[in-house]
Amino acid sequence: MPSRKKAQGRRNRAKKEATRTAELRSLWEPMALCRRSDYVAVPCEHTLTVPPTIPQESPVVSFMNRVASEGFFGKATCFETIIKTWYSLPLRFPDVWKEDNERTLAIALLLRFLRNSFVHNSAKEGENWFYQPRDILNESLNEAAICCMINLLQLLGRYSDQAVVESRAAKMGDKLVGGNRRDVVKFVAKRLPCTCLKELHRAARKKLPKVGICTGCKKQIPRSELFICTGCRHTVYCSRECQRADWSNHKKFCGNGQVHP
């Protein structure tokens, strides 16, 4: 009797796991492959007509499901989660970023998900899509985080020096997370040959200014009004007051031990 109960328990757990895996996969695969029932199709001349072949099980599928479980394919990821997760999550899957084929497929799926999301949501929401405010529960933050993951995967395939990867990933991450849809659309448009993405980017350039986030006060302001710390040549502030207020945190990462003008 105990052995039968254990066997039944294993079957129940396996069934729950299969259901959970299918639910996570449904959060990204239909959009990545343009197979959502409510998808708004837009005529476009691009090379995305042939979708990639996605195996039933693979390191990439596990990676995409994990990204889904963290909420990045939804609308409820908070700013703190994004900052903590976008860099560390891909590193937990060495079978993805160390293997060229797996890494290429992961990048392709993430790019396709973003491209199709942009086209679908902009067609559905119209002008409002461009002006969505960047608050703590906003899908545009998720889009920026996914772009950061794509950039990190590309860097991991290009550089063996971890310090170079970290530096370049952090620089792009600050720009994407601190920016607006102008930045994320540009990021994807540069990596996918898609005419509708180019049109979205042109529209975003006309409608949205270049913005960034001050490391000190966390306010989003025009990028031209931010200045870079001359010690690390990376962190940006809106004023010397913000730089001084943030020095207790920033000095751990800055190259020199003093506040720079």
Side-chain angles (χ1 to χ4, degrees):
M1 183 66 71
S3 60
R4 277 191 286 180
K5 285 186 176 180
K6 289 181 180 179
Q8 184 62 42
R10 287 194 294 269
R11 286 193 293 270
N12 290 339
R13 287 192 294 272
K15 186 176 180 180
K16 288 181 180 179
E17 181 63 25
T19 301
R20 174 61 174 163
T21 300
E23 289 175 351
L24 291 174
R25 188 163 181 151
S26 69
L27 295 176
W28 58 268
E29 188 174 37
M31 181 60 81
L33 302 182
C34 297
R35 292 176 182 170
R36 268 181 48 165
S37 59
D38 63 340
Y39 183 74
V40 178
V42 176
C44 178
E45 296 177 6
H46 50 65
T47 59
L48 303 182
T49 53
V50 180
T53 301
I54 306 175
Q56 191 61 33
E57 294 183 6
S58 74
V60 171
V61 172
S62 298
F63 167 69
M64 295 293 287
N65 286 343
R66 183 57 184 269
V67 175
S69 71
E70 295 286 349
F72 286 100
F73 296 129
K75 296 186 179 182
T77 305
C78 68
F79 185 84
E80 289 76 13
T81 300
I82 286 176
I83 297 301
K84 293 177 181 178
T85 309
W86 74 257
Y87 185 86
S88 62
L89 196 153
L91 296 179
R92 300 177 206 165
F93 292 84
D95 290 342
V96 173
W97 62 266
K98 287 185 178 181
E99 298 293 332
D100 290 344
N101 291 337
E102 299 289 331
R103 184 175 61 253
T104 300
L105 178 58
I107 292 171
L109 290 175
L110 291 172
L111 284 172
R112 281 172 170 268
F113 178 90
L114 288 177
R115 180 265 169 196
N116 295 335
S117 296
F118 293 165
V119 174
H120 169 79
N121 293 331
S122 61
K124 191 175 180 180
E125 300 173 19
E127 291 287 309
N128 292 334
W129 183 79
F130 292 97
Y131 300 106
Q132 190 176 63
R134 184 64 68 88
D135 55 32
I136 62 171
L137 293 177
N138 194 294
E139 66 177 353
S140 63
L141 276 175
N142 287 350
E143 295 163 0
I146 294 172
C147 287
C148 290
M149 292 183 197
I150 294 169
N151 182 58
L152 177 59
L153 289 171
Q154 291 176 328
L155 291 172
L156 288 168
R158 193 176 305 153
Y159 301 103
S160 58
D161 189 334
Q162 192 67 22
V164 173
V165 171
E166 290 180 4
S167 175
R168 290 176 178 260
K171 185 175 182 180
M172 179 62 77
D174 287 347
K175 180 178 180 180
L176 290 167
V177 175
N180 52 32
R181 283 216 158 106
R182 171 178 177 152
D183 299 295
V184 294
V185 172
K186 178 182 178 180
F187 179 90
V188 179
K190 288 179 67 175
R191 289 161 174 79
L192 283 181
C194 175
T195 56
C196 48
L197 275 179
K198 291 181 180 179
E199 291 297 326
L200 277 179
H201 183 226
R202 289 193 194 99
R205 289 178 62 186
K206 293 178 181 178
K207 301 173 187 296
L208 301 172
K210 293 182 179 180
V211 295
I213 288 183
C214 171
T215 306
C217 63
K218 309 301 182 188
K219 291 181 180 179
Q220 192 178 65
I221 61 175
R223 204 172 292 166
S224 59
E225 297 179 16
L226 294 170
F227 68 90
I228 301 175
C229 170
T230 57
C232 63
R233 305 299 303 174
H234 170 66
T235 306
V236 295
Y237 297 97
C238 65
S239 67
R240 188 164 178 80
E241 289 71 27
C242 275
Q243 186 183 22
R244 287 188 179 278
D246 186 57
W247 179 241
S248 60
N249 295 318
H250 182 56
K251 66 182 179 181
K252 304 171 187 176
F253 314 102
C254 189
N256 294 303
Q258 57 181 328
V259 178
H260 298 270

